[in-house]
Amino acid sequence: MADLDQLLRSDIAAAAADAARVPDFSPLERRGTRQRRVRSTGTAVVAAAIVVVIAATATQFVREDRGATPVTPTTPTPTTPSMPVNLTAEQIVDDPRSRAASIVIAPEDPRIRAVVWRLCLDDRCRRHREAVAVTDDGFRTRSTLVANAFPLYVGGGVFALQGRLGPPLLLHPDGHIVEVTGLQSEPGPPELPGEVIVSYGSGVLRWVAADPTTGRGHPVTVPENLRILRLSPGGRLAGETLGEGSYTWSDNSGATWSSTPLDNDPGLLVFAASRESEPIAVLEGGDGATLFPLGFVHRSTDGGQTFERLRLFDDPMAYGQNAGVLPDGRLLLNIEGWSDDEPGGEHARPIGLHVSNGNDWTDLRPVDGAAPYAEAQPDVVATKDGLLIVYGQEGKASTDGGQTWQDFKLR
Amino acid sequence: MTDTDAVHEAFEASYRRLVGQLYAVCGDLTEAEEVVAEAFARAVQHRRRFEQTDNPEAWLRTVAVNVSRTRHRRRLLGSRLERTEVRHPEIGDDRLALVTALRQLPAAQREAIALHYLADLPVHEVAAATGAPVGTVKARLSRGRQALALLLNDNNPEEARRG
């Protein structure tokens, strides 16, 4: 039996797509048209029935009113007010019921932020509306837009809107959107200073370097299997890849790339947030049995040239994925649960933010002061000022490793 | 350009890919084809809404996932939707075992695993397709992987002894 990770990374979906029998479109179109007609007719019938029922009920009330029996007042049944569907971006962002679905903060200037606010339209949130709030002054001012896409900070003060088809779009903090052009030319390295690198497409990603102001771009060559590019405060691009475990980076905006293989076995890798001046941490997801078991951490103190592999947890195993390196070199990570937690019961030991005992990253202890937010998952961002820990729903952030918390505006 | 062109264009561009993505959700290639076809029929039915969406493929994926849920529920209630013959693409025994194990997971975990790992969708797209918060999707992925590993080992005693 192949390893679970290998199986999950295999080409099952592609094989199914290849084997799919493609039906004629015309019968589907007719079916959809017929369903629309049936629905319209049904709606008309229901509306007519409602009119009849209302008329009958009204007649009945009239008759009762005419009788001598006094009517006992009844307590109205409380109902949930219906949620309007056509909401503006402002309404979605400002609704107190909306939740921060994604928080993106520019590493070089934490005042540049984009937050996706999600407002659920039913109890299980199967229907929801989303809007993006974006700012470059910490939400003293802002722009909002309804967008079925997630922003990703790509540098130059702009965000790429991810998760949509078509050409990539760049979102500026003043709310205007620039479409990237020039996607058909030959791939090459970035050509001009200030270009940002953006991925687009669903499934198979394509990469383009573009001028954030004009959107003028061109395809760009990146390391094979690159899935995510992370920008650090000093401008380093660090890439997470599928397949082989490695730390891949570029210090010249993608002109050239370096890569150091990591000795993982064959766990998944998640990059922790850190600045170039601090040790680099890459979390390794242990034995492949779960997504984010905090089995090992790979630490580099020479900018990614070499790594040492350290065991974090084994038995019991801790689970989590949000992590970063504090300015003093300590490892900070958020533990979401333990392997010996009772399902639906109390946690076997403390969860929430933990920090290493100095440079000994294998000795992790709970952070005092983070307890009020232990059940939530924080966003951990390396900024030019140090490590920023943000609890979006609570609107709180810490810049001292979770010791103290301040208000942090996200809309 | 007619009203249905947007749907037809999406059909040409996305039908196969969507079937590939829904195959592991459904555990049956024919079922995946039918739920994706139904998603396109509903795109025609709600063409104005479909044309206004920013991401047509994501819209279709969400509808297809919802259709698969509805059909699964009706099947549990004894509907005639039950299939006697399950169809799979040409994949090896290991992959087939994985798809079979996926069918034993709770629906929410199966959807998350299938869409994220096998269909290669980012977590936020899985969240959009399944109507769940990103954190919930991550939790489902974590628990689903754990359950999958156990299921696959249960079906393979030799691996279980080594594991």
Side-chain angles (χ1 to χ4, degrees), chain A residues 161-172:
Chain A
L161 291 175
Q162 304 277 295
R164 56 181 302 285
L165 296 180
L169 301 178
L170 300 175
L171 170 64
H172 287 251

Side-chain angles (χ1 to χ4, degrees), chain A residues 87-104 113-120 125 128-134 139 142-151 390-396 408-411:
Chain A
L87 297 164
T88 66
E90 294 270 324
Q91 286 173 318
I92 297 168
V93 168
D94 289 331
D95 194 305
R97 293 165 294 184
S98 292
R99 301 187 70 81
S102 175
I103 300 168
V104 187
R113 304 168 196 166
V115 182
V116 177
W117 288 96
R118 176 179 294 161
L119 178 60
C120 296
C125 210
H128 58 259
R129 295 288 179 272
E130 287 176 348
V132 179
V134 60
F139 281 110
R142 72 176 188 189
S143 298
T144 60
L145 65 155
V146 174
N148 184 19
F150 277 68
V390 181
Y391 284 91
Q393 208 53 45
E394 290 74 11
K396 298 287 184 183
F408 194 79
K409 290 190 74 170
L410 291 168
R411 54 185 165 187

Side-chain angles (χ1 to χ4, degrees), chain A residues 176-221:
Chain A
H176 87 275
I177 292 175
V178 175
E179 180 177 317
V180 176
T181 57
L183 306 179
Q184 304 304 324
S185 50
E186 284 298 308
E191 294 169 351
L192 301 169
E195 284 185 334
V196 296
I197 298 181
V198 184
S199 67
Y200 67 104
S202 183
V204 178
L205 292 183
R206 286 170 284 179
W207 297 83
V208 61
D211 181 309
T213 304
T214 64
R216 189 171 175 177
H218 56 92
V220 67
T221 44

Side-chain angles (χ1 to χ4, degrees), chain A residues 217-241:
Chain A
H218 56 92
V220 67
T221 44
V222 298
E224 195 177 0
N225 292 327
L226 185 66
R227 296 298 303 174
I228 300 172
L229 268 185
R230 298 186 186 282
L231 186 63
S232 63
R236 167 172 287 196
L237 292 167
E240 293 185 15
T241 58

Side-chain angles (χ1 to χ4, degrees), chain A residues 1-25 28-33 35-37 39 101-102 118 124-130 147-150 162-165 169 201-204 227 242 268 285 287-293 319 321-322 336 339 377, chain B residues 4 7-8 11 14-17 19-21 23-24 29-30 33-34 37-38 40-42 44-47 49 53-58 61 66 69 73 87 89-91 94-95 97-99 113 117-122 124-125 127-128 130-135 138 141-142 145-149 152 156 159 162:
Chain A
M1 174 69 68
D3 177 81
L4 178 58
D5 282 322
Q6 293 171 355
L7 282 176
L8 289 173
R9 291 172 189 164
S10 62
D11 54 358
I12 292 174
D18 288 343
R21 294 181 294 219
V22 183
D24 286 342
F25 181 70
L28 289 179
E29 188 177 18
R30 284 197 295 275
R31 194 205 301 180
T33 306
Q35 286 170 180
R36 183 172 55 203
R37 285 189 190 132
R39 189 162 166 260
S102 175
R118 176 179 294 161
R124 299 184 65 182
C125 210
R126 286 186 173 167
R127 295 168 60 238
H128 58 259
R129 295 288 179 272
E130 287 176 348
N148 184 19
F150 277 68
Q162 304 277 295
R164 56 181 302 285
L165 296 180
L169 301 178
S202 183
V204 178
R227 296 298 303 174
L242 282 178
L268 300 177
D287 57 5
T290 50
L291 185 56
F292 300 117
Y319 301 105
Q321 59 177 314
N322 303 95
E336 299 166 18
S339 56
Q377 294 178 27
Chain B
T4 54
V7 186
H8 201 167
F11 182 79
S14 305
Y15 175 82
R16 279 188 181 277
R17 186 162 49 235
V19 171
Q21 292 170 351
Y23 163 63
L29 190 53
T30 303
E33 290 168 347
E34 290 182 2
E38 177 61 22
F40 279 99
R42 294 192 186 183
V44 173
Q45 184 185 351
H46 304 284
R47 62 174 58 140
R49 201 184 308 165
T53 186
D54 191 44
N55 189 337
E57 187 166 308
R61 188 162 47 238
N66 288 337
R69 286 174 179 164
R73 274 197 298 272
R87 182 168 142 250
E90 290 293 323
I91 51 178
D94 282 356
R95 290 165 175 75
L98 175 69
V99 174
I113 293 271
Y117 289 109
L118 303 180
D120 211 15
L121 295 177
H124 66 77
E125 285 193 40
T130 58
V134 167
K138 289 178 180 174
L141 289 170
S142 178
R145 281 184 60 109
Q146 200 164 24
L148 262 187
L152 290 171
N156 186 349
E159 189 76 14
R162 278 191 278 142

Side-chain angles (χ1 to χ4, degrees), chain A residues 65-80:
Chain A
D65 284 348
R66 283 176 182 167
T69 311
V71 178
T72 308
T74 55
T75 306
T77 307
T79 56
T80 306

